[in-house]
Amino acid sequence: MITVHHNLDTYEFETLDQAMAWAKELGEFVVIKFNGSEVAGKFGVDGIIDGKLPTGEAYKWKKRRRR
């Protein structure tokens, strides 16, 4: 059983594919728990084109190096 936590609600799915498809369609931050693992994030960002996300927001990422 796969559980997806969104805000204060919990949803259950039979497969990880079903859970990921639902989370991608929702387009908001969720936590997916399965087999003792946990995946968190906003699913559905498929690519970055010209420095922008599909939503039109600017993509910002900086690698922090530890010394």
Side-chain angles (χ1 to χ4, degrees):
M1 186 63 54
I2 314 299
T3 60
V4 179
H5 301 277
H6 173 254
N7 294 333
L8 298 176
D9 298 323
T10 300
Y11 303 90
E12 293 184 348
F13 297 90
E14 293 293 323
T15 67
L16 183 57
D17 286 338
Q18 291 172 339
M20 294 289 289
W22 183 83
K24 187 174 182 178
E25 188 174 320
L26 180 65
E28 294 185 20
F29 186 88
V30 298
V31 178
I32 300 176
K33 295 183 180 182
F34 60 98
N35 297 335
S37 297
E38 188 174 287
V39 179
K42 182 178 177 182
F43 298 90
V45 177
D46 292 327
I48 300 163
I49 300 171
D50 295 328
K52 296 195 183 262
L53 300 170
T55 61
E57 296 176 44
Y59 176 73
K60 299 174 188 167
W61 182 82
K62 293 183 181 179
K63 182 176 182 178
R64 304 273 188 227
R65 295 186 185 168
R66 296 182 131 179
R67 294 183 184 195

